[in-house]
Amino acid sequence: MAGVIFHRRTGITTVNAQRLIATTFLLLAVATGNVWTGSATAHAEDSVDTAADATVTLPTDFEGLLYALPDAELSERGAIILALAATRDERVLPILGALLDGRLQSSSDPTRLVLLADASDDPQAADALSGDALGASSALSLDRITLNNAMRGQLRDLLARLQLSSTVVRERMAAARRMIAAGATPESLALINEHLPNETDNDVRDALQTVLDLAALDSEDSAIRATAVTGLAHALYPEVHNRLTLIASDDADAAVRAAATKALRELDTRISRYRLLENVFFGLSMGSVLLLAAVGLAITFGVMGVINMAHGELMMLGAYTTWVLQQLMPNHLAASLLLSIPAAFLVAGIVGIAIERGVIRFLYGRPLETLLATFGISLILQQAVRSIFSPLNRSVSSPAFMSG
C-alpha cells in the first residue's frame, strides 16, 4: 500500500507501529490511574493509621514527656507538646520556646535534652532539665527535633496562651512582641480580646493593642483600617513601620493612605528624637572609655615619668577577664559581671606590677626607652591573647537588666 513502509528486520509497518504505540500509551494511562488510585487509598489508610497512632498512651510526668519528644513520630509530637503545656511546669515556657526556635536538641551520648543559648555557629549548651552548663555545642553530638508548619502554629498559640497567663510582666510582654513579629492567628486574637480587659501593665496593654491594630489592617472595611492606622501612630516597632509604609503607598482608599502617611510622619519624628538621645548616650559612653585611658596615661607619665605603650593592652586584659568569668558562670550573667569588676582590676594590677618589677624599674628617668620597652610588651601581650583565646572576637553577653 502507498505510504506504508515495511521494516526489514522487525517486519512492522508504520501503521502497525502507530497502533502499537497508541495501545501502549492507553495501557500506561490505565496503569497510572490505578497507581494514583492505589496511592490515594494507601494515603487514606496511612492517615487512619496515623490517627490511630496518635491515640497511643503518653507519659504523664514532665520529664517522661520531654524524653519521649525526640523519638516520637510527627503525628505524636503534637499530642506531646499539648501534654507538656498541660503540666504547667515552670520549665515548660523556655523549653517550648527553644523547641519553636530550633534550639532544643537531643543527645544520644548520653541521652539528654539540650538547650542552646542562641542560634550562632557554636553556641553554649545547657541541660534542658537541670540547667547545668555543658560547654560549647560543637563538643556534643546533637540532633535537631524537627517540626512541621502545623506544629509551629500550634506552638505559637500555646506559648501565647501560657505567657499571657503568666504573672511575670516580662513573659506577657514577650508573648505580645512574638505576635507582633510573627503575626497573630485567629486563636491568638481571641485570646488577646479575652485577656486585654484584665491586663494591669500599661506597656503590655499597648503591645497587645498593637497586635489587634495590625490584624485590623487586613479588614475590608476602610473605616476599620483607618482607625487601626491611627492607633499605630505611637507604636515604635519595625513591623508597624513596614506595614504603614505599604499602606501609605498601596491602600485602595485615599483616606487610609493619608492617615498612614500622617502616622509615618509622627513615627519618624519620634524615631529621630530617640536616635539623637541614643547618639548622645553612646557618645558619652565611648568618650568615658577614651577619657579613662587618657587619664591613666597622664597619671603614669606625670607621676612616674613613664610612657606606657602597653596601657591599652592592660585594659584588654580586663575585658578578657570579664569574658572568662562569663564562661565559668554561664547561668549567672549578672553575678559574673559584678565579679568581673574587681577581678579585672586585680588581673590588670598584677600584670602591671610584673611589668614594673621586671622592666620599668630599670628605665626610670629615660622616657623614650620606656616607650620602646612598653611597646614591645604590648606586642607580647597581644600575641599571648591570640595564642590563648584565638584571634577571633569574643563577645560578652549582657544580663537581662541591661538588655533593651
Side-chain angles (χ1 to χ4, degrees), residues 37-58:
T37 305
S39 298
T41 305
H43 182 72
E45 291 173 357
D46 290 343
S47 299
V48 173
D49 292 340
T50 301
D53 291 341
T55 60
V56 296
T57 303
L58 299 176

Side-chain angles (χ1 to χ4, degrees), residues 139-321:
L140 305 173
S141 178
L142 300 176
D143 295 317
R144 187 169 181 172
I145 301 175
T146 58
L147 301 172
N148 56 29
N149 290 333
M151 290 181 192
R152 292 188 184 95
Q154 178 189 39
L155 267 175
R156 291 190 186 98
D157 290 338
L158 277 175
L159 285 171
R161 182 174 296 276
L162 290 173
Q163 288 179 312
L164 285 180
S165 61
S166 173
T167 57
V168 181
V169 174
R170 184 177 65 253
E171 295 291 348
R172 301 200 299 274
M173 179 60 76
R177 288 181 175 175
R178 185 189 296 273
M179 287 184 281
I180 290 174
T185 62
E187 293 79 6
S188 300
L189 294 175
L191 181 63
I192 291 175
N193 286 319
E194 176 186 344
H195 174 79
L196 191 58
N198 302 319
E199 178 57 53
T200 57
D201 186 82
N202 292 330
D203 292 335
V204 176
R205 187 185 301 109
D206 292 341
L208 293 177
Q209 186 60 50
T210 299
V211 178
L212 296 177
D213 290 337
L214 284 173
L217 294 178
D218 298 324
S219 174
E220 297 181 356
D221 190 340
S222 59
I224 295 177
R225 295 200 305 275
T227 302
V229 166
T230 304
L232 292 171
H234 303 287
L236 294 174
Y237 297 98
E239 295 81 6
V240 171
H241 195 278
N242 294 338
R243 287 294 302 274
L244 290 179
T245 302
L246 290 175
I247 290 175
S249 58
D250 296 338
D251 197 273
D253 189 273
V256 177
R257 292 198 303 272
T261 302
K262 180 181 178 182
L264 282 173
R265 284 199 299 267
E266 294 181 12
L267 283 177
D268 290 336
T269 301
R270 295 185 66 191
I271 290 172
S272 62
R273 291 173 183 171
Y274 283 123
R275 281 179 178 168
L276 176 61
L277 294 175
E278 182 182 48
N279 290 334
V280 171
F281 175 79
F282 284 129
L284 291 175
S285 178
M286 181 61 68
S288 65
V289 175
L290 297 177
L291 179 63
L292 181 65
V295 167
L297 286 171
I299 291 175
T300 304
F301 182 73
V303 174
M304 304 175 65
V306 173
I307 302 175
N308 184 13
M309 295 297 291
H311 187 70
E313 280 65 33
L314 293 176
M315 298 180 69
M316 173 191 68
L317 293 179
Y320 274 99
T321 302

